[in-house]
Amino acid sequence: MPDLITAFALFGAVLVLAPLASGVVQRAPLSFPIIFLGLGILLGDRAFGVLSLTPDDPSLEVVATLTLALVLFIDALKLRLDEVGDDWVLPILTLGPGAIVTIVLVSMGAYLLLGFSTIDSILIGAILASTDPVVLRDVLRDERIPRSIRRTLDVEAGTNDIVVLPTVLILIAIANSQAGGFLNWSEFLLKLLVLGPLAGAVVGAAGGWAIGKADERFGIGKEYQALYGIGLVLVSYVAGVQVGGDGFLAAFAAGLTVTALEFELCDCFLDYGDVTAEMMMFLAFVLFGAVISSMQFPISTGRMLIFAAVVIVVARPVAMWLVLRRARISQVAQRTIGWFGPRGLSALLFALLVVHSGLGSGEHILSVVGVVVMVSVVVHGMTASPLGAWYARQVEDRTLEEERETSASGLFRDESGEHRIPRISPDQLAELLSSPDPPIVLDVRTRSQFDEDPSRIPGSIRVKPDHLLEWIDNQERRDRLVVAYCT
């Protein structure tokens, strides 16, 4: 465990280095995970020896636990159930089988290439099925990529942990024989999948209601509302553990309950929570880098690199090709989604859970996951900006189907039937425009169509088709007729 001065220096370095490096990260084929994971490796035992950590170090456990709980809570808050409406289950159910296929393919690779036992191989497959929103950050913020594709990746990164985490916990129980017999397994699953999330949901509901009422009656300062959100994360985690469940699932359930019940947590919490989570994630990357630097690798580096290539280049693209065959997207989009399933902090945190469970092969599993994460952080971090530029060129050259959608569910929706949009003729539009209360006319042509012919209907507003939701969110008046045209 680092001494006080080392801990202060480490945290201070993260807080100073992140802002200083931000400009470079935006312009160079780099990412923050590359920088901070690399910093941890340099500080570790195999380089400068400044930071000596083992996987069971208490400081790593504290940082990792707080980081994962906070990330899961914020991910749940950001799930826009209003955006996808009745179709919210569709992208999740479609991407869910993708996680299953990924687990199967990665498990086969771990078994055949690395010689792990069946249960350990499946554990590795489940851990590496997790995608990391931290490594995806540059892609999710790149507006050159159509919003529906970014949203699909965002939905997956924000929800697949909640599928992967219970799977990992159940596999750990099987590997350690923590539950035996029907009644014991029933009790274990009841606590894990019902009581823990229920405790978190109660905390989320009570907490969301309480801050709303208190703010309405007394007025709560934004700085205190921001701190309140962090408190909800911690209380929900503790509540989940106290009922015998999992604190991480409880934290996610708390955030999801706040979203589902439409309680208004101050935007200041999301801003503050995002910044706090980001700093904690950077610190966690440094600590994991130091841990990886100190570990012994029982498997040859060559075989582990081949395995990493199987995970990144084979398993993920094949799984996404299978589940996206019926989606209304271009091959460009399909390849983008298939490529960007980066492994990062979530995978390391799940592997750490295996180590802390006492499983004999836990450190070997963490070492393999660490190598895959290092490779993923580098290759995905370095390709994010070039891929965005490549996608932008494709969009400029021709109209891509995914440009016409604003949400992830829209990519899987049938355009016929109830989803068909009513149409009016040019003469009807001309008549409406001459009325006392004319409609708002939106020019929603795709990028390539607009570039070819920038002329537009007088008075119309230019809105990219995949940015419609943002435009709607910014409208104060909702009673005016809106007419959109694309060609």
Side-chain angles (χ1 to χ4, degrees), residues 208-220:
W209 176 85
I211 192 66
K213 291 296 182 181
D215 187 37
E216 180 182 334
R217 182 161 184 177
F218 305 111
I220 308 296

Side-chain angles (χ1 to χ4, degrees), residues 424 428-442 457-461 471 475 477-484:
I424 63 172
Q428 290 173 313
L429 175 59
E431 184 178 345
L432 288 171
L433 288 174
S434 63
S435 66
D437 188 17
I440 299 173
V441 180
L442 300 182
I457 297 175
S460 64
I461 301 171
W471 181 84
Q475 301 309 301
R477 182 180 172 185
R478 302 295 181 94
D479 58 344
R480 286 184 67 183
L481 176 66
V482 176
V483 178

Side-chain angles (χ1 to χ4, degrees), residues 99-179:
I100 295 173
V101 174
T102 302
I103 291 173
V104 171
L105 294 176
V106 175
S107 301
M108 291 173 59
Y111 183 81
L112 296 174
L113 288 172
L114 306 181
F116 279 95
S117 66
T118 301
I119 186 65
D120 286 349
S121 297
I122 299 173
L123 250 176
I124 292 172
I127 290 169
L128 291 174
S130 170
T131 58
D132 194 340
V134 183
V135 184
L136 272 174
R137 190 184 72 159
D138 292 338
V139 179
L140 299 179
R141 295 179 179 179
D142 192 340
E143 294 194 358
R144 295 174 297 183
I145 299 174
R147 186 184 189 276
S148 57
I149 302 305
R150 289 184 283 122
R151 186 60 183 155
T152 298
L153 289 168
D154 197 16
V155 168
E156 183 193 10
T159 58
N160 81 334
D161 281 353
I162 216 60
V163 175
V164 170
L165 178 57
T167 305
V168 171
L169 294 173
I170 291 170
L171 289 169
I172 290 173
I174 294 173
N176 283 326
S177 300
Q178 291 176 351

